[in-house]
Structure formats: structure tokens, C-alpha cells
Amino acid sequence: MKLIIINGPNLNLLGSREPSVYGKEFFEDYLEKLRKWFPDIQIDFFQSNIEGELISKIHETGFSYQGIILNAGGYTHTSVALADAILAVTTPVVEVHISNIFAREDFRHHSLIGPNCAGCVSGFGLDSYRLAVQSFLKKE
Amino acid sequence: MKLIIINGPNLNLLGSREPSVYGKEFFEDYLEKLRKWFPDIQIDFFQSNIEGELISKIHETGFSYQGIILNAGGYTHTSVALADAILAVTTPVVEVHISNIFAREDFRHHSLIGPNCAGCVSGFGLDSYRLAVQSFLKKE
Amino acid sequence: MKLIIINGPNLNLLGSREPSVYGKEFFEDYLEKLRKWFPDIQIDFFQSNIEGELISKIHETGFSYQGIILNAGGYTHTSVALADAILAVTTPVVEVHISNIFAREDFRHHSLIGPNCAGCVSGFGLDSYRLAVQSFLKKE
Amino acid sequence: MKLIIINGPNLNLLGSREPSVYGKEFFEDYLEKLRKWFPDIQIDFFQSNIEGELISKIHETGFSYQGIILNAGGYTHTSVALADAILAVTTPVVEVHISNIFAREDFRHHSLIGPNCAGCVSGFGLDSYRLAVQSFLKKE
Amino acid sequence: MKLIIINGPNLNLLGSREPSVYGKEFFEDYLEKLRKWFPDIQIDFFQSNIEGELISKIHETGFSYQGIILNAGGYTHTSVALADAILAVTTPVVEVHISNIFAREDFRHHSLIGPNCAGCVSGFGLDSYRLAVQSFLKKE
Amino acid sequence: MKLIIINGPNLNLLGSREPSVYGKEFFEDYLEKLRKWFPDIQIDFFQSNIEGELISKIHETGFSYQGIILNAGGYTHTSVALADAILAVTTPVVEVHISNIFAREDFRHHSLIGPNCAGCVSGFGLDSYRLAVQSFLKKE
Amino acid sequence: MKLIIINGPNLNLLGSREPSVYGKEFFEDYLEKLRKWFPDIQIDFFQSNIEGELISKIHETGFSYQGIILNAGGYTHTSVALADAILAVTTPVVEVHISNIFAREDFRHHSLIGPNCAGCVSGFGLDSYRLAVQSFLKKE
Amino acid sequence: MKLIIINGPNLNLLGSREPSVYGKEFFEDYLEKLRKWFPDIQIDFFQSNIEGELISKIHETGFSYQGIILNAGGYTHTSVALADAILAVTTPVVEVHISNIFAREDFRHHSLIGPNCAGCVSGFGLDSYRLAVQSFLKKE
Amino acid sequence: MKLIIINGPNLNLLGSREPSVYGKEFFEDYLEKLRKWFPDIQIDFFQSNIEGELISKIHETGFSYQGIILNAGGYTHTSVALADAILAVTTPVVEVHISNIFAREDFRHHSLIGPNCAGCVSGFGLDSYRLAVQSFLKKE
Amino acid sequence: MKLIIINGPNLNLLGSREPSVYGKEFFEDYLEKLRKWFPDIQIDFFQSNIEGELISKIHETGFSYQGIILNAGGYTHTSVALADAILAVTTPVVEVHISNIFAREDFRHHSLIGPNCAGCVSGFGLDSYRLAVQSFLKKE
Amino acid sequence: MKLIIINGPNLNLLGSREPSVYGKEFFEDYLEKLRKWFPDIQIDFFQSNIEGELISKIHETGFSYQGIILNAGGYTHTSVALADAILAVTTPVVEVHISNIFAREDFRHHSLIGPNCAGCVSGFGLDSYRLAVQSFLKKE
Amino acid sequence: MKLIIINGPNLNLLGSREPSVYGKEFFEDYLEKLRKWFPDIQIDFFQSNIEGELISKIHETGFSYQGIILNAGGYTHTSVALADAILAVTTPVVEVHISNIFAREDFRHHSLIGPNCAGCVSGFGLDSYRLAVQSFLKKE
């Protein structure tokens, strides 16, 4: 199984940015743990602050990967183009948020990409990514 | 560890109700599987169509359980009282939805209980409950 | 043919409550007349002030009765859960209002249950119930 | 007893227009049945696509008929002038809709003429007209 | 000087329609008085319930008359087409209302034609027409 | 007959303020003309930039004068207190505007004092005051 | 004199729930004090988390008690049915809030039951109940 | 191929009406050119200021013509009835605007008929009609 | 203990202004009673129709008095400046209304000063002032 | 004549993306046809998923080309910066949409770039581009 | 060069009022510094809590001073009359705020006077006044 | 002291773009002046039309520079991601606008980045940048 985690704007600063909201762990360290917990899954990673590069990456992986785990950061609430990209590909996309977006400012309560995603995990800190990976491991 | 799943209105009909949206599995069957997957966790269960009984159950378990997994159904979008109940207790509450509420009618896009919950898992079918249980198993 | 009339909150006070709006007749007396006018139909009756009990009654009758005549009172305008219940069953539900809800306060102009009902009769006083029963007697 | 059915814009196409929403029966055929079901009532009929002609017909019949059954079509949602006409006459007007307007587009949820009508019947197909006629036959 | 009074929908019923709001005087009687008070002015008159006929009459008189006195009735609040007609002609149009539209329902507070009129007189009963005529008699 | 014209904020600058909107005539000069045109009426005058002084003047004259002609300037759109003052007195108040407030910025389209006034004259330049005086001279 | 205090959802947790907002005193202890301060008044008490049970209790006491003191908790902002219940009875109802609802979240600023109550006391902590009792003791 | 151009209210004044917005050419002159440019197409023409007549013309041509080119003028923004008419017929309707409606007043930004049309051409002056005709000539 | 009652615009007319809403008693007479009922409290009084004078009085007394009882009249709903004044001082301010503002026009439902006040008493007629005084007498 | 077609985000997927909405033809194939139909016009082409690159391309061509044909995709509804770019250049820009944006989701009904474009063609599938090219060929 | 600083309501309390928001410095002390920093400029000063007095001061200085530096306090967000006063004079007015109004409550985000001012400086504490003075010293 | 000016989309066209709004001076020329006026400050400069590149530049300089002067152009009103970037760094950011954004279109009145900036200077033409630099030179 081949998954990709796509992180949007400002998420390159995780660990140093507003630690009270986003925690103190660097994403690279967390990613290492994640790969250890799921040794059978190939977990690729991409980050960009540029909306159009996120769209292009979704195009690139959206027909061949089994899943995309997308934390679109601030673009979650403003990007119709990103939402269209999710609709345009066949790979299911799981929306992820580190913080509980419903407990923050009003403009963070509405997700433009939400309606086009397969599901959403939010509010569990970096652990939201682990749960998103879990979601692709359907148990019987 | 002791968790409780609290299901709100109409969720007693799971399996027979709108199968295209909610799936064909009876919740009782799913619960059995869930308990098998997590043999070390006590997973209690409560369902009611009555808003006030859901509130009372949160009061009753909200100081002694390690976690509450709450699918408040239609009350998600209308109940200030339920949201207050979550705030009033000390046990963390994880909000769960079977369907992707952001892909449905407008009035389902806003969760009144969301801001008071620890996190939210939605859109994975009954599997949302498994992920919610997983969220209480913080890995290191 | 088996129909059930389900009355919501405050409708137990019909006859004594705001007679200028709702009239002076007790519902029990009217029900008796109704049964006399339609001797070939079994017309059951249920009233509750509790939203969740109305939901449960819809579940209970919503797969075996030919029709449900529902006056949801104040819950008409606030209950997503009740609207979901109507969607969850197979029996057609006819929405009934004694007063003309469009001629009253703004918050009464919008019915949350309306979109899920088969039809709506409002503004004819208690006579709205008679018309609702009539609606199940399709003439050819 | 003398009633008039007044049909607004596009209702001249009943039978051929969007049969999945409005059915396949021509209104003239239905009218014939209606007159047969209520042999003691004179049921007149008027249709126009022109808002002002509907207003004039309400003026003309609104002081001498016992009842007006009005399906204002698209003008239901936009015509203050039609609403004023209903207020200006003394004959009670019953609002009728073939489809359940609450289950359709948002702009059909609000009736400008509703507050001035005696009552409303909607969602029963052409049968809505039969119920409207019934509403003028108060039983004791 | 040549003026025309153009009255919109339902104003043909003045005198009989809602006398508590619009008074008991027939417009024809008032018009006679008006002509007596202003013997040097030719005051023409037109009434129609049909929006398009009001538009056509504005076109017809809007390049040759010195003034148009327009009571557009219910179309005041809904007709972009009528507002466009006023903009399309060169004769100044004075908006007139018998009742004080600001003291009535919310939907009467906004005039679509207002921005295109030269001025507005409202709330003085039929006397609003006299003041409108006066407005064309600039004193020095 | 005793009338008072009450002018609100910035109207002391008439003649020098934005002449393209309000004209070039000083109000004092116009007032003189007005008194000449209506020699039988005592026309008093008051201007203040202070909301509370306008209220006090309405209290002072609102039980003994036959009419108040009020141009509340910018307070028209923001002052609940001024609207309450008009309701609190027995003298009828006529609202006056020099410019056509409906043809200007959105925030000028709504008058808070309008619902409590007897009538409104707007858009005729200073001539709006003459028409307002005329409105107190009911002709028979 | 016979009064009843009716407390809504979550108010059973007073003393333990969010003490920074609602204080640390148990309602039972406060009630005892209240009865001591007003020895001549019979002060009954009822609490429920169930909307419909609050409605039923208002029906039960609303024709025989001299006053109802109602703290509807979260239902204050969402329950049309409760508002209707207050309108349906003859006993005056005084709305009470422990915290200043206007200084909290936006959704707490609007009270659906407010328009039907005799008066409102809010923001004085548990002391709001004492003032509500005082309101029934009209001094001369 | 048989097309019809249907022009709505005030478009009879093209050439004389607000030339800075709509140009100086008479529609009749332009129509002649249009017919010369497309000699193989029968281009019929209808204009009315009356909403209901536009509806009737759509009914009349909407089952036999290959295309309807509709400039509904002011009714574009207010007429549900016209929108319904387009839905009721089988001929595709192309919406046309002379001016760029998005660069004008807010109330012109929303087209009620738009969702039911096949496509829209706006902002090219009278040339919008030529492009609309072109749209029916699918090239391969 | 030293309290001050500050009354805003139009409250100088109490007793003569809209008696059906505000009662027939003059405030001076009521104030006398109030002082008799609470002989141990110095109750000062100030009234002004001028927003800025109310602000100045709050500044003047807001650091030395034990309490301010403020009925801001119409400024309740429009004055950010008054709300800021309450925040700027240290004396607690209790908001008072004679009528039940929630049962009146929509624009009276929202209090700009409410969030900054210690508490609110409304709807008890002049008796609201007595309850406000009571609120400063914390019982033990 | 030199035109450029600028395509925004996700339009690189045309042919494979949601064929029911956007058709099955690859844009490159269509472009070839287009160039064949208009052999006398140089039709350049640019596509990017990055908002800022679209802006830069408009700057680059916006002073020397005769026309820009812009399909801004999802940025149509969210990009003030793109709208500003159109205003900043002198070349006229024609807005193009493949689908009828008015018949889709609400957030697609409003175009931020529309007010700054010369005209708009939408809903004709890829044929919208041909009509846009036609718009630059003014016939006499 | 002659400038005037006009301070609105509650700004007389600077230094003592909410020091965490507005700082601890008295405005008089700051003014002294300001005059020392700009010895070549005459900097006059006026403060009032009364809206109308601010308007009058703008009238008084608005034709002879080189600049007005206006901190309208709470009236910034509510006063159409003040905005009109700025428009009525010829001296350019610079809007100043001590705190960053965009980082505070919603109702402080919108400035009614902003559109009529030459420019705005906000969020730099008392230093905003120094920058405003600087703005009148155009460097070359 | 080390400052950086970051200019957003379309600002590369300053001098040629809409000179009536933005002036005729090229930014490079102005920057030279600015550096001459403040010889002791290192003033770096960056411009991009790409939102994500602006974010990256803020990350790059936001921990080491003393100040960022940001003119985000059109992204001011639409970019949550940019606002998040400002929050994520420790260097204070001053928002700058050349034109008075409050005197322009409605969608320019709201700044998404404003709440996270230290202060804002707008409306002084290019001089806004000089004032922004001044703001970092706190005088004593």
C-alpha cells in the first residue's frame, strides 16, 4: 500500500509555530515514528506553501496511490481550486487537522475541501495523521 | 481502560435506515467486532432518542470513564444543551459521524457540539467508531 | 387502512391553550368525530411533549401503518432529529398545522420536517386533520 | 356553492411539463373528475401566465365566490402584488401546490402569498386541488 | 403643463380595499378634486394591474410629459423592469405611496424604483398625490 | 397654525457643504422664502448637531405644535433614541430629506425614524420643506 | 404564595460544573437559604434535562401557581416548544440566568423564551433567583 | 434551422435608452444584419414588456424551434415563473445580455433563469446576439 | 452605600410617554418610594437625552460609587461609546429596562452595553429599578 | 491578431477529469481544431495551477496582445488578486467557462473576475472557447 | 502648519482606562512630547464625549486647518453624522486608532468614517498620533 | 536595524497600473528615496505574485528581522494562509496599503491579515511605506 501525506502552508514550521496550538514536535520526527508504526505501508510526504503545487501533487499521485492524507492548512477554508483537484482524481483523500478547527475562529469552521473528501480526522494533535493512516486499514 | 459509545436519535435504526447513506450493518453486530478488536478495553454502549437522556448519560459517565465516543445524530446540529453537557464533565468526548456531514445538506455542516469535543472523526462509515477508539490509544 | 395521528408538544392543551389561535375544541372530542366520519379507517393517536418519544413512535409505526399524520408543534421548526426519523421510515408522513404558520412569527415560516414529508396541510383549524386523512383516500 | 380554481404561469403545460415533478395528467381531464366528485359545487377555472390578469381575476371573483383555490406557480415566491390582491378581497383563498415546495429549491420554500391565505395544501400532486375543495366543505 | 398619474396593481380597488390602510375615498373622486385644485395642469391617468403595461405607459409618456406620478403598488418592491423603465425615459418620475411604507411589513421598506425616481412622497393618504403635483410647481 | 422645522447634524453647513448633492442655497435664505409663501403659518426653526438636543426639542414642541418637520440628517439612519422621541409625543412629525436617500449609499436607504413619522418627503432639494409644509394644509 | 423554580439541562451539576462561570455552590444549599429568606412563600423546585418534561411541568403548574421562575439552560436558545408552553399557561414566568448571557458566546445572546416571559433577571450568579422571587413581591 | 430571439422589458427602447450602457443602434437594424450574416438560419423575433407574454412565447416555440435566444431584461433577476418556463420546454435556451451584468449593480449579478439555460453570453454589446447564434452552429 | 440611577433619552417623559408600554407613574414619584424602601442607601439620580453626558456621568461616578443602575433607553441598542464607558470604569453597572425588550421590535433585542454590565433586569415595569437596587444587597 | 488562452487550475486534466461535467476531449486536441478554424489568428496557450503564475502571464501579455481568453477555474470565485491583474492591464479579457456555472454549486455563482472582464461566455462546453475567439472578430 | 487632534468619547480617561489595551500614559503628557517633536507645527487639541460637539469642531476647523487627526473612539463604528461632517469640510482628516481595531471585537472592524478620511493609522499605541502628524509632512 | 518590505500581487506594476488609484511613481524609484531618508536602516525588498512565496519569505525573515512591512495586495482580503504565516513568526508585521481600502469596493474593507499585524497604515499613497518605517522608530 502506498499513501502520501500532503501538508499545506505554514506546516513546514511545525514544532516552532504556535506550540500551544500545534505542539512542539517537528513533523519529520513524527513522520519517522509513523513509518515505524506502519512498516508495511509506503508513506510518502510532500509539503508546499504554494496552493498550485499542492494541486499539482494531488494530480500526480491521485490516480496511482491508495490514499492521500491532506492537511491543507489555511487553504482548507479558501481554496475552491484545491477542492476541485480532489474531485478530479480517483484516489480517496482524507482531510486531517492537528487542532480542533471547530474550537477556533469562525472562519476555520467551514472546510471547502470537506465535501469532496472521503472522511475527516481533526483535533488529535499530530495523532490525527496516525488515525488517518488507520482509516485506510479497513479491519474485518 | 473504560470507554462508552453514546448514540443519539435514529441510530437505533442502523442497518435498516437509508442504507445508501448509513450502510447495512446493524450496530450491535459492529459493536461485537469492535470489542473483539480491542479486547483490553471495556466498551460500554448507550442509545437514546431523547436529548435529555443523552445529557444525563454524559453526566453519569463523564467523571469516571477515560473517554466518551459520541454520535449525537441530528442533535449535533441543534443542541446547545448537549454541548453544555460536554463542557460540564471532565472526560474527553470524541465526536463521531458515520457519513461525511460536510458532503450533505447545509444544516449538517455546522456542529454545535464540535467546539467542546476533544476531536472529531467523520465519514468513514461505521469504521469511524474504530478510529475514535484508536484515538484513545496514544502510541509512543 | 391504519393511520396514526402523532401530536407534538403543547398540543395536549388544545381547547384551553390560546383559543384565539387554536380554537376551543378538545382534541379528544375532535378525534371522536374524525373516527365517525371515517368508519373504515383505524385512526390511532399519540401525543407527547418529548421530542425523542415522537421519534420512537415514528420508528414504531413507520414500517407497518399506511400513513402518519404529524403535527410536530414547536419541534417543526427546530428538530433535525425528527426530520431524520421521517426519512428513516417507509410510511408516508403528512405534515399538519392547525394555524396558518405563514401568517405567524418569522421563526414559524420554516419547517425542518417539511422536505421529508409527503405533503402538508395547514391553516384550516382542526379541520386540517380531516383533510390529511382525506389525502390518504386517493379517488379515481 | 361557487368556487374558482385560478392557475398561474406554466400550469397550462401540466401533463407535458416535467412529468417527474408534476405528473402526466392534463389539468382539463382532472378538472372534469373534480366536477364529477363534487356535483353540488360550481367549480370555475381560470389560467393565465400574466401576473396582472391573475390579480384582476381575484378582484373579479373575490367578493362574490365562496372560495378561491389559487396555485400561483412561480409568482408564489415573488409577487407582492398578488399577495396584496388576496388581502384586498373578502373571499377566502386557499393556496395549493402540486409538488411539495419544501422539498425543492430554496427559493421555493418561501411563499409571499401564504400569510394572506386562509390555508395551504401542498405536495399531493393534482390531488391537492381535491383537498382544497374539501376544505370548503366543513363537516360537523 | 402635462402630468400623468400611473397607478399600479390593486389601486383600482381604492375605496373598497382595506379602508383602514388606504382610506374610503374612490380614486376617481379624488382625481376630480385634484383637477379642480390645479386647473392649469392637464392631469392624465392610467391604471393597470399588469407590470408590462405600466412599463409601456412610462415609455409612451416618458419623453413628452413634464412629469410622471407613479404609485407602483406591490411592484415597488419587486420590479427591476419597472425601475429600468424609469431610467430609460427622460421625464422625471415622482414615487408616491398612500400609506407610510416604512411603518408596514419589512418587505415594503425597500423600493426598487426609488433610486431612479426624482423624489418620493409617502404616508399622507391620497393627499400624497396632491403633494406630488405640487412638486412640479417649483416656486421662486 | 404653528409648525417647527428641526434640522439635524451638518445641516448648518447647507449652501457650503457638498453643493452638488445639497445645492448652493443657505437654509436661512430659503426659510425666509418659505415664511413668505405661507404668511398665515408660524414657522419656527431649530438646528443642532447634538442628537440629544434634537430629542429635547421634539419633547418641548411635541405636545403644543401642529406639526414638526424633521430632517434628522445622519441620525436618520442610526438613532433609535430619536425614533423613540417621535413616538413619545403627540404632534405628527413629517420626515424630510433634501437628496433622494434611495439613490445614495446603502446605509442611507433605511430610516429608523420613518416608521414613527406621519409621512415622508424626499429628493426635491430644499423644496422638500415646502411640500412638507403643504402636507399640513389639508385641502377639501 | 406558591412559586416554583424550574431548572433545565445541566443545572443539576451546579457546584461541580465550570465553577468559574457558575460558582461553587450546590443548588440545593442555595434553595435552602432562599426558603429561609422568604419564609412566607412556598418555593417548589423541579429539575430535568429533558425538554418535554420541562414543558409538562409548566403545564402542570402554569394554571395554579402565582409564579414560575425558569432557568431553561441551553434550551433558552433553541426551544420553540418551551416558548409555546409559556404562552399556553396563565401563570407569569420569570426568566433567570446565573451568568450574564450577553457576555458569552453569540448563540447565547438570543432567548427564544424571552418574548413570552414576564421579565428577565440575568448575570447575578445564584442571586438571580433571589431577585426573581423578589419580583413577585410587588411593594407599594 | 429555426431560432427565435425573445427580448424582454425595455429592450424595445434600444438605441434611445441609456446609450452609454446599451449603445446607439436600433435592434431592428441589428436584426437585419444578423439575418444577413446567417442567411441559412430563420431568425424570428419577439419582444414584450409583459412577463407572462414572454412565458407564453417560450411555450409556443419551445417544442419546435432549434434554439431560443433570450434577453429577459429586468425579469432576469426577479422571475421564477420565467425560469420555470425554460425548464418546461425542450428547446435549449441561451441567455444573452448586452451589457456585462457583473460590472453593474449588485441586484443584476444574480440570474434566476441562468441555472435553467444551456449557456450564457454577456457583455459584448449587441454582438452578444451574434455569439448566441454562433453557439447553435457547433463546428466539428 | 452610594448608588446612582442614570436614565437615558426620553425617560424624562415617563408617566406621559406611551403609558401602555411604560406605565403612568412619574419617575420622580417612584424615586421617592425607592428611597423610602431603602433608607440606608444613598440613591442619586441623573437623566440626560445626550449620549455624551451619560458617558461623562459614568466617568464621574464610576470610580467612587458602589453601583450604577443604568437605563440607557434607545442608546442601549446603538451606542458603542456608552459600552466602552462602562468598561472604562471600575464600578459595576446593572442594566435596567422597564419593558421586556425581547417582546418588542427586533432592533430592541440586542443590547450593545449588555456584555459589559454586571447583570440585567428587564420587564418588571418601574419595579425593575427596585430589583436592581436589591442586586447590590447580597444576602448571606 | 494575437490572442492567448489562459487556463487555470485543474484544467490540465480536461478529458480525464469529471467527464460528465467537462466532456471527454483533451484541450490540446481542441486547441488544434481551434487554430484550424481561425487560421488568421495567432492563438497562444498557457496553463498553470498557480494563481500567481496566471497573474504574471496576464501582466506579460496584457499590454501587447489583442485579447486574453481566461478560464480561471476555481480561482474565478476566490481571487481578488487575479481580478486586480485584469484591471491592471489594457488588453480586454473575456471570461470563459466550460460548464454553466449558474447551474452548479452556490459558490460557483459569483465571479470575482467578472466585473473586470469585457464579457463572459459560459456553458457551451469547449465550444465556449470558439465563441470567445469569435467575440474578437467584430463583424460589420 | 496648523493641525488639530480631535479625540472622541472615553479618550479623556486615557492612562486610567483599560491600560492593557490603551497603555498607561496620560494623553496630556503625550501631547507635550508630540509638540516637542514637531516644534514647527501648531498642534491644537479638543476632546469631547458628545458626538455633536465633535461634529461642530470639525466644522469649525475644517476649512482653515491643514489637517485634522481624528480618533473618534466608539463613534467610529456608529456615526453616519460624523462621517458626513468629514465629507462636508475641505481639510483632510486622518483617522487614528491607538489599538489595532481589527484584532478586537467584530463590531470594531468596520469604520463608518473611514471611507471619507484621507488615510488611517491604527495599532501603534499613542505612537499612532505621531505617525499621523508625520503623514502631513510629505517628504520629497 | 533590518527591515524588509514585502509586496504582493500586481504591485510589480506600480507606476503603470491604474495611475489614478496607485500613482505614477515606480516602486523602485520610491524605494531608493526611502533608503536615502533612513540611511541607518537596512531596507530589504521582495515582491511576488505567488501567495506561497510571500508566505515563505515571511518564514525566512520572520525570526531575524526587526520588522516586516507587508502590502499583501489582493491577498489581504482572501488569504487565511498568509494570516497564519504572520502569526507563526515573531517579527512584528505592519500592514500597508497605498490607497484607502475603506473608500473602495466592499470586498476590500475586510483584511484577513489585519488581526495578526502589529498595526496598519493605509491611504497615504506610497508615503504609507515611509510611515510604516517610521513606526519602527519609537521616539522617547
Side-chain angles (χ1 to χ4, degrees), chain A residues 115-126:
Chain A
N116 299 352
C117 288
C120 177
V121 179
S122 81
F124 301 98
L126 286 177

Side-chain angles (χ1 to χ4, degrees), chain D:
Chain D
M1 182 180 283
K2 218 165 63 173
L3 304 178
I4 184 165
I5 293 172
I6 299 181
N7 270 353
N10 299 303
L11 290 163
N12 53 319
L13 292 190
L14 275 178
S16 62
R17 167 197 185 199
E18 298 177 81
S20 67
V21 179
Y22 297 100
K24 288 182 190 170
E25 192 166 17
F26 287 90
F27 194 76
E28 288 68 18
D29 298 343
Y30 181 78
L31 187 58
E32 212 169 305
K33 286 192 202 164
L34 210 56
R35 285 171 174 152
K36 212 161 9 170
W37 294 332
F38 301 98
D40 299 340
I41 306 179
Q42 173 184 336
I43 304 180
D44 288 355
F45 175 61
F46 178 78
Q47 193 275 337
S48 175
N49 292 326
I50 298 178
E51 189 178 5
E53 289 185 358
L54 300 170
I55 292 169
S56 295
K57 184 56 77 180
I58 289 171
H59 291 176
E60 186 190 320
T61 57
F63 297 94
S64 56
Y65 279 62
Q66 271 74 49
I68 295 174
I69 293 169
L70 176 65
N71 183 342
Y75 295 140
T76 303
H77 318 294
T78 64
S79 179
V80 169
L82 206 53
D84 283 356
I86 296 169
L87 218 58
V89 299
T90 53
T91 300
V93 177
V94 169
E95 184 182 359
V96 158
H97 298 288
I98 294 171
S99 61
N100 178 354
I101 56 173
F102 295 111
R104 300 180 65 194
E105 304 97 318
D106 270 12
F107 63 81
R108 290 196 209 275
H109 294 190
H110 187 245
S111 166
L112 278 174
I113 64 173
N116 300 352
C117 288
C120 176
V121 179
S122 81
F124 301 98
L126 285 177
D127 223 27
S128 294
Y129 290 92
R130 178 174 61 86
L131 298 176
V133 174
Q134 278 281 2
S135 80
F136 288 101
L137 300 173
K138 304 254 144 109
K139 283 191 95 157
E140 276 319 306

Side-chain angles (χ1 to χ4, degrees), chain E residues 10-46:
Chain E
N10 299 304
L11 290 163
N12 53 320
L13 291 191
L14 275 178
S16 62
R17 167 199 184 198
E18 296 176 86
S20 67
V21 179
Y22 296 100
K24 287 182 190 171
E25 193 167 14
F26 287 90
F27 194 77
E28 289 67 19
D29 299 343
Y30 181 78
L31 187 58
E32 210 168 307
K33 284 191 202 165
L34 209 58
R35 284 170 174 154
K36 212 160 11 171
W37 294 331
F38 300 98
D40 299 340
I41 307 178
Q42 172 184 337
I43 305 180
D44 288 356
F45 174 62
F46 179 77

Side-chain angles (χ1 to χ4, degrees), chain J residues 26-101:
Chain J
F26 288 91
F27 195 77
E28 289 66 20
D29 298 344
Y30 181 79
L31 188 57
E32 211 168 306
K33 286 191 202 165
L34 209 57
R35 284 170 175 154
K36 211 160 11 168
W37 293 332
F38 300 98
D40 299 340
I41 306 179
Q42 173 184 334
I43 304 180
D44 290 355
F45 174 62
F46 178 78
Q47 193 276 335
S48 174
N49 292 326
I50 298 177
E51 189 177 6
E53 289 184 358
L54 299 170
I55 291 168
S56 295
K57 184 56 76 180
I58 290 172
H59 291 175
E60 186 190 319
T61 57
F63 296 95
S64 56
Y65 280 61
Q66 272 74 47
I68 296 173
I69 294 170
L70 175 65
N71 183 341
Y75 294 141
T76 303
H77 317 293
T78 63
S79 179
V80 168
L82 206 54
D84 282 356
I86 296 169
L87 218 58
V89 301
T90 54
T91 300
V93 177
V94 169
E95 183 182 0
V96 158
H97 297 289
I98 295 170
S99 63
N100 178 354
I101 56 173

Side-chain angles (χ1 to χ4, degrees), chain J residues 50-53 55-56 59 63 78 80-81 84-85 87-88, chain L residues 9-10 12-13 17-18 49-51 74-75 77-78 107-108:
Chain J
I50 298 177
E51 189 177 6
E53 289 184 358
I55 291 168
S56 295
H59 291 175
F63 296 95
T78 63
V80 168
D84 282 356
L87 218 58
Chain L
N10 299 303
N12 53 320
L13 291 191
R17 169 199 184 199
E18 295 177 88
N49 292 327
I50 297 177
E51 190 177 4
Y75 294 141
H77 318 294
T78 63
F107 63 79
R108 291 196 208 276

